[in-house]
């Protein structure tokens, strides 16, 4: 039987710390502000953005939402980001992904001032992470690391396998595990012997985006299993990339979906926004 690492609990702790620091900033006349841009009406994005706004209210940040119509042009979106870049009361800017197909995600990310890039998606922040000299870590991988740390799980020397190589999760996740001295393998759709590679992992991170992709035969006895996926199963129920019922008996630790990595993503966003506010106020 695995121990459950509750994203609900760990994220509540992170948010409580952020809230406390936010109150200390108030005494200095500083109130962190986050601007969230959402383009179109993807229902999942709507839920995530609402959760981000709720978290801002809870920790004491100002949050501004910019809900733009599906047919927003590249120029309009870039112009809004430009305005927010020069708005002093906004410390963090986030453009919820995915964007509608006609918009150029890369150009949008590039337009966000690296100082306000609380997703840490801008190439300059990505480069900083690569060399270990950063202010912000991308929220989802940072949230996974926080869950690992919350249980005192040692990463150094461990065989870490990340399934998925996206710029948002897989690649930075591998880098953060490497920073903690893990021996890291990244798997993807072209990986040969995926099952064997995964079954050798002490720490297995699933970021594939396919429901119940990780089955029991891919998991070593006693492995730590972190599930980044948020999918809907055949009954429309939220589920992760891991077949939880089958894998849970084999793992030593496992994260649930929902209530796992998702809430951690949001908590780490709060942490990054606080950090952005401190940096921009030269604290
Ligand atoms: N720019 N785009 C940008 N930054 C991000 O950090 C994200 N991400 C991912 C999608 N696009 C993004 C998020 O915010 C995924 N993500 C995210 C955020 C929150 C939750 C899930 C994904 C979340 O709150 N999950 C809840 C359940 C939500 C539900 O009911 O559907 C959970 O318990 O997992």
């Amino acid at each position: 039987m695995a121990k459950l690492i509750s994203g609900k609990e760990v994220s509540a702790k992170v948010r409580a710390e952020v809230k406390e620091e936010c109150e200390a900033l108030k005494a200095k006349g500083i109130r962190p502000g986050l601007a969230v841009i959402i383009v179109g009406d993807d229902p999942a994005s709507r839920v995530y953005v609402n959760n981000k706004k709720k978290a801002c209210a809870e920790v004491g940040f100002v949050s501004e939402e910019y809900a733009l119509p599906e047919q927003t042009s590249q120029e309009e979106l870039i112009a809004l980001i430009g305005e927010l870049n020069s708005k002093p009361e906004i410390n963090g800017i986030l453009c919820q992904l995915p964007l509608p197909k006609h918009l150029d995600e890369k150009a949008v990310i590039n337009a966000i001032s690296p100082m306000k890039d609380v997703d840490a998606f801008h190439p300059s922040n990505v480069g900083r992470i690569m060399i270990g000299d950063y202010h912000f870590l991308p929220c989802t991988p940072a949230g996974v690391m926080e869950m690992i740390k919350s249980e005192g799980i040692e990463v150094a020397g461990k065989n870490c396998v990340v399934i998925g190589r996206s710029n948002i999760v897989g690649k930075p996740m591998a880098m953060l595990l490497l920073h903690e001295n893990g021996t890291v393998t990244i798997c993807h759709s072209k990986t040969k012997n995926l099952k064997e590679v995964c079954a050798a992992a002490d720490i297995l991170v699933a970021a594939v985006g396919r429901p119940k992709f990780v089955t029991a035969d891919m998991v070593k006895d006693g492995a730590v299993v972190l599930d980044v996926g948020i999918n809907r199963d055949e009954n429309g129920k939220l589920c992760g990339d891991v077949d939880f019922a089958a894998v849970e008996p084999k793992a030593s630790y496992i994260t649930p979906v929902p209530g796992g990595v998702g809430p951690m993503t949001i908590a780490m966003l709060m942490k990054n926004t606080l950090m952005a506010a401190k940096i921009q106020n030269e604290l």
Side-chain angles (χ1 to χ4, degrees):
M1 260 262 293
K3 181 166 184 208
L4 206 66
I5 313 179
S6 165
K8 262 193 197 159
E9 282 171 27
V10 182
S11 70
K13 242 183 241 167
V14 173
R15 290 196 310 274
E17 286 163 18
V18 171
K19 184 175 179 175
E20 206 180 299
E21 275 207 61
C22 183
E23 271 157 19
L25 286 183
K26 214 190 262 172
K28 299 187 165 82
I30 298 163
R31 189 161 178 215
L34 175 68
V36 181
I37 304 169
I38 175 169
V39 186
D41 41 32
D42 177 64
S45 295
R46 178 32 69 200
V47 172
Y48 307 156
V49 166
N50 284 349
N51 288 348
K52 290 175 184 185
K53 283 162 57 186
K54 253 186 252 166
C56 281
E58 183 197 332
V59 301
F61 296 172
V62 175
S63 76
E64 292 182 356
E65 181 187 296
Y66 296 85
L68 307 181
E70 178 84 23
Q71 62 277 14
T72 300
S73 71
Q74 181 77 13
E75 293 68 32
E76 286 169 314
L77 181 53
I78 301 281
L80 170 61
I81 292 171
E83 275 170 41
L84 296 170
N85 280 340
S86 48
K87 194 168 175 178
E89 61 270 34
I90 289 300
N91 305 111
I93 304 169
L94 173 155
C95 185
Q96 189 71 20
L97 302 177
L99 288 170
K101 280 197 189 68
H102 67 279
L103 295 171
D104 177 356
E105 204 169 282
K106 229 187 250 176
V108 169
I109 290 170
N110 279 320
I112 297 174
S113 159
M115 302 291 290
K116 296 191 177 185
D117 169 38
V118 284
D119 271 329
F121 291 167
H122 190 284
S124 106
N125 287 323
V126 175
R128 281 177 161 269
I129 291 158
M130 184 82 115
I131 59 174
D133 169 30
Y134 50 79
H135 302 297
F136 315 118
L137 291 174
C139 302
T140 301
V144 170
M145 294 310 291
E146 196 72 24
M147 291 176 109
I148 292 173
K149 279 182 200 152
S150 75
E151 293 293 340
I153 297 163
E154 182 79 60
V155 176
K158 294 281 175 64
N159 204 1
C160 304
V161 173
V162 178
I163 321 174
R165 56 170 152 184
S166 70
N167 289 332
I168 292 176
V169 182
K171 283 187 214 168
M173 187 72 244
M175 197 54 60
L176 300 195
L177 290 163
L178 179 62
H179 286 165
E180 294 300 321
N181 301 310
T183 303
V184 185
T185 305
I186 305 178
C187 296
H188 46 78
S189 53
K190 299 285 191 295
T191 297
K192 292 199 174 104
N193 309 321
L194 176 73
K195 190 197 288 184
E196 287 73 18
V197 175
C198 292
D202 303 308
I203 297 176
L204 181 63
V205 182
V208 204
R210 282 209 254 157
K212 303 181 187 176
F213 180 85
V214 175
T215 47
D217 55 343
M218 295 165 74
V219 178
K220 178 160 96 175
D221 275 319
V224 176
V225 179
L226 301 128
D227 191 348
V228 177
I230 303 203
N231 314 292
R232 301 257 163 197
D233 70 8
E234 60 280 6
N235 305 314
K237 214 176 126 218
L238 276 184
C239 74
D241 290 346
V242 175
D243 183 348
F244 186 91
V247 167
E248 187 270 343
K250 281 185 103 177
S252 60
Y253 293 89
I254 192 165
T255 66
V257 177
V261 175
M264 291 305 300
T265 295
I266 295 180
M268 301 321 276
L269 173 67
M270 300 300 109
K271 220 172 160 168
N272 283 350
T273 304
L274 178 76
M275 175 60 75
K278 288 209 269 188
I279 294 170
Q280 285 157 44
N281 287 284
E282 284 159 12
L283 288 174

